[in-house]
Amino acid sequence: MKIYLSNDYFSDLLVRMAHHSTAIEGNTLTQGETKSILIDNYIPRAMNMRELNEVLNYKSYVNQMIDDLKHDVSINNEFIKSIHAILCNNAIDGVAGRFKTIPNLVIGADFTPTPPYLVPSALEDWRANLQYQIELAKNTDEIIESILRQHIQFEHIHPFSDGNGRVGRALIVYSCLQAHILPIVIPVNDKQRYINCLNTENMAEFMAFAKELQANELIRLQALANNNEHDLYIEVDL
């Protein structure tokens, strides 16, 4: 059945995306403080400007995401750079919206990220593979698996000098909603489980984790249902 996504739901999604994704990267603002900033337009205490900007950027991003979803905007290199530009604005000096120009490493990883000169072509292959897998998917589980598998590959490419994790997680949410399925928001309290899925590439565990998160997402979505609807919906089996 179709469930339409309300304004209240998107406000809730905004706060959780902003808090959890930045907290995974080390931002110390609480979810309550993030809600105060993004929903109540009130800064509750003196805080680090970078941390403040990191969460403020999500208001711009979620507004853009909703518009992109309404127009079914396809993922491509410019789209990915635009996400980075919004999420890293005034948070990462001088590189927001630009692919890396110097080789980078992921600490402790057993792979070497894609070299800078190959990033554009690697991301084009990544996009084509994601689209192909979703088009061939026979059911929702296969769509979820495709999105998760490609998330791991995105982090292996590591196309930016910084901010790869938050862009990759934003792409998970966008890809899910574009496919009209429940979004997957990685909570900071499950950071270690998430990192383990990335490190081991254990798709069975990653799928189990994602399905748990989607079950919780459905509860929130239904609790926040109202008549103030966006022209967006997801398909769920109830």
Side-chain angles (χ1 to χ4, degrees):
M1 66 175 294
K2 290 182 180 180
I3 297 182
Y4 283 86
L5 307 180
S6 69
N7 284 315
D8 285 349
Y9 173 73
F10 272 112
S11 293
D12 181 70
L13 183 64
L14 161 63
V15 171
R16 289 182 295 115
M17 285 180 68
H19 169 63
H20 291 295
S21 199
T22 60
I24 286 172
E25 305 298 334
N27 191 301
T28 63
L29 300 186
T30 67
Q31 185 164 319
E33 289 169 339
T34 301
K35 185 263 184 182
S36 180
I37 293 164
L38 296 177
I39 305 301
D40 303 324
N41 298 310
Y42 175 74
I43 300 174
R45 61 174 175 84
M47 58 185 61
N48 179 281
M49 282 302 298
R50 172 170 174 158
E51 292 195 337
L52 174 61
N53 286 327
E54 282 180 343
V55 298
L56 280 171
N57 287 340
Y58 276 82
K59 180 172 282 190
S60 298
Y61 174 67
V62 169
N63 287 336
Q64 184 62 52
M65 180 184 75
I66 292 169
D67 189 62
D68 289 341
L69 287 165
K70 285 183 176 180
H71 293 92
D72 197 25
V73 175
S74 298
I75 296 172
N76 58 31
N77 286 8
E78 291 306 310
F79 180 84
I80 293 168
K81 287 195 289 186
S82 74
I83 295 176
H84 189 266
I86 295 172
L87 293 183
C88 298
N89 183 41
N90 293 320
I92 299 177
D93 293 336
V95 298
R98 296 191 296 176
F99 291 143
K100 64 188 177 186
T101 58
I102 298 172
N104 53 0
L105 290 174
V106 178
I107 295 173
D110 61 358
F111 64 88
T112 301
T114 301
Y117 75 96
L118 289 178
V119 163
S121 59
L123 279 178
E124 175 55 29
D125 290 343
W126 174 89
R127 178 210 61 77
N129 286 334
L130 175 61
Q131 180 180 335
Y132 179 73
Q133 290 176 49
I134 289 176
E135 287 175 353
L136 285 186
K138 299 180 181 66
N139 52 51
T140 298
D141 280 2
E142 289 188 2
I143 294 175
I144 297 167
E145 186 172 357
S146 299
I147 292 169
L148 297 179
R149 184 181 297 109
Q150 290 305 105
H151 178 62
I152 294 172
Q153 292 307 310
F154 181 86
E155 298 306 326
H156 281 197
I157 296 170
H158 231 61
F160 302 102
S161 60
D162 197 359
N164 294 284
R166 73 194 73 176
V167 172
R169 290 185 291 275
L171 285 166
I172 289 178
V173 173
Y174 185 82
S175 297
C176 287
L177 290 173
Q178 190 175 45
H180 302 289
I181 63 174
L182 287 157
I184 298 163
V185 180
I186 310 293
V188 66
N189 54 307
D190 283 321
K191 175 181 177 178
Q192 211 50 54
R193 186 177 181 186
Y194 165 62
I195 296 298
N196 184 61
C197 289
L198 294 181
N199 287 341
T200 63
E201 301 183 39
N202 184 334
M203 289 305 303
E205 170 60 17
F206 210 177
M207 279 291 293
F209 182 28
K211 295 300 287 290
E212 290 173 22
L213 296 177
Q214 285 186 312
N216 292 331
E217 197 70 24
L218 179 58
I219 293 170
R220 299 189 74 89
L221 191 156
Q222 292 175 316
L224 292 166
N226 59 35
N227 293 323
N228 191 9
E229 297 167 352
H230 280 282
D231 296 326
L232 297 170
Y233 65 89
I234 58 171
E235 299 273 6
V236 294
D237 294 322
L238 297 176

